Amino acid sequence: MTIGTLTDRALGRATLARQHLLRRSDMDPLTMIEHLMGVQAQSPTPPYYALWTRLRGFRPEALSDLLESRRVVRIVLMRGTVFAVSVADAHALRPWVQPLLDRDLDTNPAHRAGLRDVDRKALASLARELLSDTPRSQTELRPLLAEHFPEQDPAALAHAVRCLLPLVQVTPRGLWGRSALPRLTPLDVWAGPPASDLPGPDRLVLRYLAAFGPASVRDLQAWCGLTRLSETVERLRPELVTFRDERGVELFDLPDAPRPDPSTPAPVRILAPFDNALLAHADRRRFISDEHRARTMTKNGIIAPMVLVGGRVAGAAKLITGRRSAVLEVTAWRSLSASSRSAIETEGAKLMKFAAPDADEHDVRLIAYPM
């Protein structure tokens, strides 16, 4: 059933509600991680900031405990990037996105030539044996692989292993204040075998809509990195409601999912680096203009913490911490009212207290974007 048109503002409020960015949640961290289907974890600290901005009273030790107890793992999943997810979701999501990782072996410009004519089954078997006994970094793995594949590029071989096997980054990697180089071991070796009742693709799509909807098929595909998902969505159509966006694109949603009134106030939020709220749609105009979207990624592929004002990206943040001081620099991409600037300073002060509780000085600096 098609209900009507949703404006970009209405879409933004709906997704903010599901991301718990309108009001912080009292969920426990594991429940939130599973609701979000993981949090981006390209580097050690982003998962902590992603949870801080969504959970009331979140302390970093809570996530570190989940990693150390092996209930949450860091693993390559959607879009070929590292996520921190529950063990159950790691087991469910990795087989689903495996075609994306298989395709990378043939298309990756840095490594495809070095993998030509490699026996991938033999490579995966060897790597699993090497990594099951002793977690190793890719640097440590390269010479061991080269002994068995002397004609191949060792860096390409190590990259292929990352794609071929579900490998987790073992602790202390990812622990708050105690991280280390990523060392890898198979998921089932680290956290045990999968359960017998893991969710299939249909259930995963429904969970995506619960956390990121309303969304188009293209949005879904942009989130996970897979293609040809229209068949799955069509199969689910009887369970869904549909809308159109301002440009006439069909959007799918769960019937009872929150869709707040577009006039609902949206507080200032400082997102984590690489925050999935901004990366989970092909069309991101519910949160950010096309002009500003081009500014979100640096030349080396880093996506800085974005600052939401009134539900839309208003600039980028940079947190600088030292032994005695912490500074949050916010570069505004548009003119801000005095009340918005004050709200950014208040939220920034809370972030610095979380990130650097022992610092003697905390300072928020607002900088105008150089036009």
Side-chain angles (χ1 to χ4, degrees), residues 77-80 94-113 115 120 159-160 162-164 220-229:
L77 292 173
M78 288 75 72
R79 303 187 299 278
R94 180 57 188 247
W96 189 49
V97 302
Q98 189 59 47
L100 162 71
L101 302 171
D102 291 339
R103 186 169 67 246
D104 179 82
L105 299 179
D106 298 316
T107 59
N108 188 295
H111 299 301
R112 62 187 177 191
L115 296 173
R120 296 178 183 177
H159 174 78
R162 175 183 183 268
C163 295
L164 291 169
L220 168 64
Q221 294 179 163
W223 165 71
C224 63
L226 298 171
T227 59
R228 302 178 181 179
L229 293 181

Side-chain angles (χ1 to χ4, degrees), residues 26-154:
D26 290 320
M27 282 185 192
D28 64 86
L30 182 60
T31 301
M32 177 61 75
I33 289 170
E34 290 195 321
H35 168 70
L36 298 172
M37 301 183 76
V39 287
Q40 301 250 150
Q42 283 94 321
S43 57
T45 57
Y48 294 89
Y49 296 123
L51 294 174
W52 172 82
T53 202
R54 291 168 169 85
L55 293 176
R56 190 175 292 110
F58 172 71
R59 303 305 306 160
E61 295 79 10
L63 177 54
S64 288
D65 288 346
L66 290 172
L67 289 164
E68 287 193 295
S69 63
R70 306 188 186 189
R71 287 178 287 169
V72 168
V73 293
R74 297 166 55 88
I75 184 172
V76 174
L77 292 173
M78 288 75 72
R79 303 187 299 278
T81 60
V82 179
F83 279 77
V85 295
S86 70
V87 168
D89 278 351
H91 280 301
L93 288 164
R94 180 57 188 247
W96 189 49
V97 302
Q98 189 59 47
L100 162 71
L101 302 171
D102 291 339
R103 186 169 67 246
D104 179 82
L105 299 179
D106 298 316
T107 59
N108 188 295
H111 299 301
R112 62 187 177 191
L115 296 173
R116 192 173 293 118
D117 300 325
V118 169
D119 184 333
R120 296 178 183 177
K121 186 176 181 179
L123 174 61
S125 178
L126 171 64
R128 179 176 173 83
E129 180 181 347
L130 291 170
L131 296 173
S132 293
D133 291 337
T134 304
R136 306 176 195 270
S137 70
Q138 287 197 318
T139 300
E140 294 166 336
L141 188 60
R142 289 172 189 172
L144 302 177
L145 297 175
E147 291 179 12
H148 296 265
F149 297 89
E151 303 300 320
Q152 262 48 65
D153 175 17

Side-chain angles (χ1 to χ4, degrees), residues 154-211:
L157 293 173
H159 174 78
V161 168
R162 175 183 183 268
C163 295
L164 291 169
L165 295 174
L167 302 174
V168 300
Q169 298 180 351
V170 304
T171 53
R173 179 66 174 178
L175 299 183
W176 183 258
R178 297 186 284 137
S179 192
L181 291 174
R183 286 187 166 82
L184 307 172
T185 200
L187 169 63
D188 61 336
V189 171
W190 182 253
S196 59
D197 58 347
L198 292 174
D202 288 16
R203 176 60 185 158
L204 295 175
V205 170
L206 294 175
R207 287 181 59 192
Y208 164 77
L209 292 175

Side-chain angles (χ1 to χ4, degrees), residues 308-369:
L308 298 181
V309 177
R312 296 187 63 78
V313 173
K318 181 180 180 181
L319 180 62
I320 306 166
T321 58
R323 288 186 178 181
R324 305 293 299 275
S325 65
V327 176
L328 183 73
E329 293 183 350
V330 176
T331 301
W333 294 347
R334 56 181 167 88
S335 177
L336 297 173
S337 67
S339 60
S340 294
R341 294 170 69 90
S342 177
I344 290 173
E345 291 173 351
T346 299
E347 188 72 359
K350 295 177 183 177
L351 174 58
M352 287 186 292
K353 186 176 181 180
F354 169 80
D358 297 327
D360 296 328
E361 298 178 8
H362 292 157
D363 187 22
V364 180
R365 301 173 185 170
L366 290 171
I367 305 169
Y369 185 83

